Amino acid sequence: MPQSFVIVLGPTGGLWPFIWGAGYEVRSRLEAAGLTFKGCGGDSGGAMASALLACDTDPLPFIEKNAKYTKVGAIGGNNPWTWTKNIVSFIMHGGAIYANTAYEEALKLAWEPEGRPKHPCYAWAWSLSSENSAIFPLHSMHEDGWAKGVCASMSLPAALSPFEWPNEDILAQAPDVYEELRIPEAYRTSNSYFADGGISSYLPVDMILDCPELQHKMTLVDGEWTTDWETEDMPLTIAISLDDFQSPKFNDDIKAMNPFKKIIFACMGALRSSVHEDVQDMKTAGIEGEILQAAPGELSKYGFKFDVTAEEMKIMFEAGREAVSEEIGHIINELLQEG
């Protein structure tokens, strides 16, 4: 029986409070069963939720305090001014929402006051500039600016513009990522652009392969995480996705979508196709883990809605907890029998 576990959260669109609730329920139940929470990660909305899990954020106070910032994510609706801003942003920056504004007016004000993640936490992004994936270790980035890794990960094409990030700041925040992106010295004072991490890995269930330190004992020493490469500690991996990739389904509401939603829906469909490869990677590597489907049901209407009220966020969060409650209960029973 594994002694620790990691949680991987997939993309969500506007349903990130839902998958946060799902991750929160899984963490709470596994910790109650005696396992240690080792870390988490994800991309897009999954990165947003993972960061809050890793910060040990108290959900309800956070929602009450910060729901107001979701207005930055308004797309379409009945207000002509919102449409105007979306169209101008789309033409000027390549997305209905300017990602850098989303960082300055939402993530910087809501996420970063939670403090740097207290547990290992990773955000997947895709570098348009280097045409390579980037995995930002949020837990080792600076107190001021670590949420830039989240914003880079959540920049869903068409909905959000690519996130523009000065290369010198990437070097300061995440030197290993900077090196992996192989940014030429001549462009050190230039900028890199990032898009939704789902482009490179829709559901990164093989997180402990991409982040090999998670296969070993990790210890927090003087505020920094160190890895004992001589001591193995293979965690149980629990990946949570909103999608059921096995069951056939048919969407009959596409005609009613506004133009932005149709573009986003098409992009997301292309991204979902990569999940089968990610699942196979986990199986091939012999990683002990489970993939849970947290079906949002009628709450799917929030998938393309980024501006929500505190009450709507609470409903999504609690529904996410309920969506995985039975599945995680079965997994815990099986672990206890093995133990």
Side-chain angles (χ1 to χ4, degrees):
M1 176 177 172
Q3 301 303 305
S4 61
F5 65 95
V6 297
I7 297 176
V8 182
L9 302 179
T12 63
L15 280 161
W16 66 267
F18 180 88
I19 209 164
W20 180 21
Y24 186 91
E25 179 71 10
V26 167
R27 175 183 172 180
S28 299
R29 298 280 292 277
L30 287 174
E31 286 182 323
L35 277 70
T36 300
F37 177 50
K38 190 170 187 177
C40 57
D43 45 43
S44 196
M48 297 169 69
S50 293
L52 296 176
L53 274 182
C55 287
D56 293 337
T57 297
D58 192 348
L60 296 185
F62 178 88
I63 290 172
E64 289 284 359
K65 180 181 178 182
N66 298 302
K68 59 187 177 183
Y69 296 125
T70 68
K71 66 180 184 295
V72 177
I75 297 179
N78 298 322
N79 189 338
W81 175 236
T82 301
W83 277 107
T84 301
K85 289 192 297 183
N86 294 155
I87 293 170
V88 170
S89 177
F90 193 90
I91 293 172
M92 293 184 62
H93 305 294
I97 303 165
Y98 184 32
N100 288 71
T101 296
Y103 168 72
E104 293 292 342
E105 297 184 4
L107 273 76
K108 183 177 179 64
L109 302 179
W111 268 251
E112 290 186 6
E114 295 296 303
R116 190 170 63 175
K118 300 174 180 63
H119 307 271
C121 185
Y122 306 86
W124 270 251
W126 176 257
S127 171
L128 299 175
S129 303
S130 297
E131 296 187 352
N132 192 15
S133 60
I135 305 174
F136 290 100
L138 306 180
H139 55 283
S140 64
M141 294 170 66
H142 298 169
E143 289 283 347
D144 181 17
W146 66 264
K148 292 175 183 175
V150 177
C151 198
S153 175
M154 71 183 210
S155 296
L156 178 65
L160 281 86
S161 71
F163 181 67
E164 184 177 0
W165 197 342
N167 289 330
E168 288 188 325
D169 191 49
I170 298 173
L171 177 60
Q173 288 278 2
D176 289 344
V177 175
Y178 182 92
E179 183 176 346
E180 290 168 2
L181 292 176
R182 300 180 181 178
I183 299 171
E185 182 62 28
Y187 294 96
R188 183 166 174 170
T189 58
S190 185
N191 298 334
S192 286
Y193 293 82
F194 295 90
D196 194 301
I199 293 174
S200 59
S201 183
Y202 182 76
L203 181 64
V205 295
D206 53 350
M207 183 169 76
I208 64 172
L209 295 179
D210 291 327
C211 309
E213 61 272 20
L214 290 172
Q215 300 177 36
H216 303 273
K217 182 179 180 181
M218 299 180 71
T219 308
L220 188 62
V221 179
D222 296 328
E224 300 295 334
W225 285 94
T226 61
T227 304
D228 179 357
W229 295 101
E230 302 299 321
T231 305
E232 185 178 89
D233 176 26
M234 290 290 287
L236 170 71
T237 295
I238 301 292
I240 307 175
S241 174
L242 302 189
D243 297 281
D244 178 0
F245 298 99
Q246 306 304 319
S247 300
K249 51 185 177 290
F250 185 84
N251 293 291
D252 62 356
D253 59 348
I254 297 175
K255 183 177 180 180
M257 293 181 182
N258 69 48
F260 282 126
K261 289 184 179 180
K262 288 180 179 178
I263 294 172
I264 296 169
F265 192 79
C267 292
M268 292 299 289
L271 302 182
R272 287 189 182 99
S273 65
S274 68
V275 72
H276 299 287
E277 296 179 10
D278 296 325
V279 172
Q280 187 59 47
D281 286 344
M282 183 178 76
K283 292 180 178 179
T284 300
I287 298 172
E288 186 173 357
E290 299 284 345
I291 300 176
L292 308 185
Q293 186 209 0
E298 64 179 16
L299 295 180
S300 295
K301 63 185 178 182
Y302 293 108
F304 300 117
K305 182 175 170 56
F306 302 98
D307 57 324
V308 291
T309 65
E311 188 58 34
E312 288 172 320
M313 291 177 70
K314 291 176 187 177
I315 290 172
M316 283 189 272
F317 181 85
E318 293 301 328
R321 297 190 66 177
E322 179 63 27
V324 296
S325 179
E326 184 174 347
E327 283 187 279
I328 194 61
H330 290 319
I331 291 171
I332 290 172
N333 288 337
E334 291 175 2
L335 288 173
L336 293 177
Q337 290 175 5
E338 291 176 2

